[in-house]
Amino acid sequence: MAQPLMPHATASWLVETTALTFQQIAEFCGLHILEVQAIADDTAATKLTGRDPLRSGELTQEEIDRGQADPNYRLKLQREPDKAVRTKGPRYTPVSKRQDKPDGVAWLIRNHPELSDGAIGKLIGTTRSTIQAIRERSHWNIANIQPKDPVTLGLTSQRELDAAVAKAAKQAGIEAAPQDPRIQQDREALIEELRAEREAAHRVAEVALTAEQQLWGVGDPADAAPANEDSAER
């Protein structure tokens, strides 16, 4: 089901400016109702800036009025957000994964020497100077770089890596060795397992954070210490 471009920010706007139920907002934004509850209670990890779906054309005032009049009414997305188009240029990598780039580059240099710096740069989304520094072991953080599969790190896809390796091998006149399909299946299973573990750990961390915030309230637990000391002195 299609959802707004920025579901959390849209949910924040709907919570603050409409009388829609949390369930209606959750269904429209593709969120869990507890996420909407957290936004309403200001217990989310960060304070969200609301995004007006009326201005973006994703909702109409008439649709909101229908929802406010009938709690069982399900809001309909009026216009799907424009899909991002991949343009030429460096691959975008999320901030949380950028520290993994040198590890991915080192793995490609070690396992696929036929790949050029340009091909590695396109796969990982890094610069030729960084790749050259890792090749020459002159990188400022070379002591901490550990070669790791860029597919497992989430820096590229297996299909893109295979295509780049096949192209480089063809240009170098290297005949690709037949690969046991079981190896590929095991590799894909391992990648899915690692991704599932990361997602599970992320969910556990979010649940723990929510539980801690509910236990201590909105403020920082450390803020309560001075107040307790003052009361003790009295």
Side-chain angles (χ1 to χ4, degrees):
M1 181 178 177
Q3 63 184 42
L5 180 62
M6 301 173 64
H8 288 86
T10 301
S12 177
W13 186 91
L14 292 172
V15 166
E16 293 179 358
T17 61
T18 72
L20 296 169
T21 67
F22 291 165
Q23 185 64 40
Q24 288 175 308
I25 296 173
E27 291 176 351
F28 177 72
C29 296
L31 305 175
H32 193 281
I33 189 171
L34 294 181
E35 292 182 273
V36 179
Q37 179 70 55
I39 292 172
D41 294 342
D42 289 337
T43 58
T46 57
K47 177 63 176 177
L48 295 171
T49 300
R51 178 175 182 270
D52 186 353
L54 299 178
R55 180 175 299 178
S56 64
E58 296 168 342
L59 263 182
T60 62
Q61 187 59 51
E62 291 76 11
E63 190 72 6
I64 292 177
D65 293 340
R66 293 192 192 99
Q68 293 178 141
D70 181 7
N72 296 320
Y73 181 77
R74 299 189 65 174
L75 300 175
K76 298 180 179 63
L77 191 68
Q78 302 300 303
R79 181 179 68 85
E80 292 191 20
D82 297 331
K83 295 182 179 179
V85 179
R86 174 92 167 112
T87 57
K88 292 183 178 180
R91 174 191 298 272
Y92 173 76
T93 305
V95 176
S96 60
K97 294 183 179 180
R98 290 178 188 174
Q99 61 185 7
D100 297 332
K101 285 185 177 183
D103 294 342
V105 171
W107 189 92
L108 291 174
I109 292 174
R110 186 184 68 180
N111 293 278
H112 295 288
E114 68 275 17
L115 289 175
S116 66
D117 289 358
I120 295 175
K122 289 181 180 179
L123 284 171
I124 304 297
T126 189
T127 62
R128 291 175 183 266
S129 59
T130 297
I131 299 170
Q132 189 63 28
I134 295 174
R135 281 188 186 276
E136 298 174 352
R137 301 192 63 79
S138 59
H139 190 276
W140 67 271
N141 195 34
I142 193 65
N144 297 317
I145 294 177
Q146 300 292 331
K148 296 178 183 177
D149 189 341
V151 176
T152 304
L153 294 174
L155 297 173
T156 188
S157 68
Q158 186 63 52
R159 179 176 297 179
E160 289 175 320
L161 175 57
D162 291 344
V165 170
K167 181 178 180 181
K170 183 178 180 180
Q171 291 176 344
I174 302 173
E175 184 177 353
Q179 186 176 21
D180 188 339
R182 292 174 298 179
I183 296 177
Q184 179 64 17
Q185 293 174 358
D186 291 343
R187 178 188 177 89
E188 293 176 352
L190 176 60
I191 291 173
E192 291 300 323
E193 182 179 349
L194 291 173
R195 287 176 178 170
E197 289 178 357
R198 287 187 180 183
E199 292 176 357
H202 182 66
R203 288 195 294 269
V204 169
E206 287 183 340
V207 170
L209 176 61
T210 301
E212 182 178 356
Q213 291 174 332
Q214 291 176 347
L215 177 63
W216 293 103
V218 178
D220 190 333
D223 295 341
N228 294 336
E229 293 176 359
D230 293 342
S231 60
E233 291 177 359
R234 295 193 188 96

